């Protein structure tokens, strides 16, 4: 039995939009907050290097894991994956308390890497589920609304980060309360997304992420215009 598809005003799609907004907000608020924390704690000559490292830790998983997640999204129910990933976000935010409380920068960088990995896993799933829960006539509008939530979350997260750092007055571990609360709201929102069936439950999943990455690059290279645009 297939998934019952609805319009963009349905509760299921509204849950997906809310989960995306809150996820984008939390990603950016966390990333910028811990970067500001590191900048405040380190000597000036190490700040630029640490900011670059923080960016690398968060962005690199998006390149490495996204192709693997696309295959994973077909093997399992996308709704279940969304809920599981939102639950994982709560656990990551709770885990961030330890390195932030002890001002352990290597631990913070590990958390940034894990948050980047979480985003890499969440990204393909949130996009792939849209055609399964929306009617065909609503797909363009639905994609536009998802983009709106992404950029809105980015802006809100950027603004929130500065406000959070100012509010905690050096007690950076208190920011974890905000991050965990946002993650919990995102988890609740994901529960409203309608159930979906796995698109290819019997397909073999290749867990070699580097082989997946190489395969994706070869596939893009076959389309010269797209490849040149990516390289630019």
């Amino acid at each position: 039995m297939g998934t019952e598809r609805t319009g963009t005003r349905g509760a299921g799609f509204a849950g997906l939009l809310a989960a995306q907004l809150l996820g984008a907000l939390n990603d950016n608020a966390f990333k910028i907050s811990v970067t500001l924390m590191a900048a405040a704690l380190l000597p000036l000559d190490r700040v630029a290097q640490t900011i670059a490292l923080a960016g690398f830790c968060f962005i690199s998983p998006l390149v490495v894991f996204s192709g693997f997640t696309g295959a994973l999204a077909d093997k399992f129910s996308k709704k279940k994956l969304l809920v599981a990933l939102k639950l994982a976000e709560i656990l990551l935010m709770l885990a961030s308390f330890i390195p932030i409380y002890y001002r352990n920068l290597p631990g913070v960088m590990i958390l940034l890497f894990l948050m980047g990995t979480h985003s890499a896993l969440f990204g393909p799933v949130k996009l792939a589920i849209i055609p399964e829960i929306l009617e065909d006539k609503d797909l363009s509008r639905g994609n536009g609304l998802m983009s709106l939530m992404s950029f809105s979350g980015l802006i809100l997260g950027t603004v929130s980060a500065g406000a959070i750092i100012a509010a905690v007055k050096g007690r950076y571990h208190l920011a974890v309360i905000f991050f965990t609360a946002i993650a919990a709201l995102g988890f609740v929102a994901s529960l409203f997304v309608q159930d979906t069936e796995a698109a290819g439950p019997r397909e073999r999943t290749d867990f070699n992420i580097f082989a997946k990455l190489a395969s994706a690059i070869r596939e893009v290279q076959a389309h010269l215009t797209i490849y040149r645009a990516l390289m630019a």
Side-chain angles (χ1 to χ4, degrees), residues 194-217:
Q194 56 258 59
D195 290 327
T196 60
E197 297 178 353
R202 296 183 179 179
E203 291 185 9
R204 179 177 173 273
T205 301
D206 185 359
F207 289 95
N208 187 333
I209 57 174
F210 298 105
K212 280 283 185 185
L213 180 60
S215 175
I217 292 173

Side-chain angles (χ1 to χ4, degrees), residues 65-227:
F65 295 111
S66 291
F68 164 75
T69 313
L72 203 65
D74 285 336
K75 189 172 181 64
F76 300 101
S77 162
K78 296 175 182 64
K79 159 66 180 292
K80 291 179 180 178
L81 284 173
L82 285 175
V83 172
L85 287 168
K86 283 298 174 182
L87 178 59
E89 184 180 347
I90 296 175
L91 298 177
L92 284 174
M93 293 299 94
L94 289 172
S96 71
F97 177 86
I98 297 173
I100 292 176
Y101 181 81
Y102 289 104
R103 303 189 177 191
N104 184 300
L105 292 182
V108 169
M109 295 301 164
I110 292 172
L111 258 297
L112 276 174
F113 180 85
L114 292 175
M115 281 297 291
T117 302
H118 176 272
S119 294
L121 297 175
F122 185 74
V125 177
K126 75 185 180 190
L127 295 176
I129 199 174
I130 295 176
E132 295 187 14
I133 64 176
L134 285 185
E135 296 176 353
D136 292 344
K137 64 182 178 65
D138 292 315
L139 288 179
S140 294
R141 177 174 170 79
N143 282 317
L145 289 172
M146 283 293 284
S147 294
L148 175 62
M149 293 301 103
S150 297
F151 288 115
S152 297
L154 190 154
I155 294 169
L156 290 172
T158 302
V159 173
S160 298
I164 291 167
I165 292 299
V168 298
K169 301 183 187 304
R171 296 172 295 173
Y172 300 114
H173 57 282
L174 295 181
V176 175
I177 298 172
F178 174 85
F179 302 140
T180 306
I182 296 298
L185 289 174
F187 171 76
V188 172
S190 72
L191 297 176
F192 287 90
V193 179
Q194 56 258 59
D195 290 327
T196 60
E197 297 178 353
R202 296 183 179 179
E203 291 185 9
R204 179 177 173 273
T205 301
D206 185 359
F207 289 95
N208 187 333
I209 57 174
F210 298 105
K212 280 283 185 185
L213 180 60
S215 175
I217 292 173
R218 286 193 299 269
E219 187 174 340
V220 171
Q221 285 177 329
H223 303 276
L224 190 57
T225 301
I226 297 175
Y227 178 71

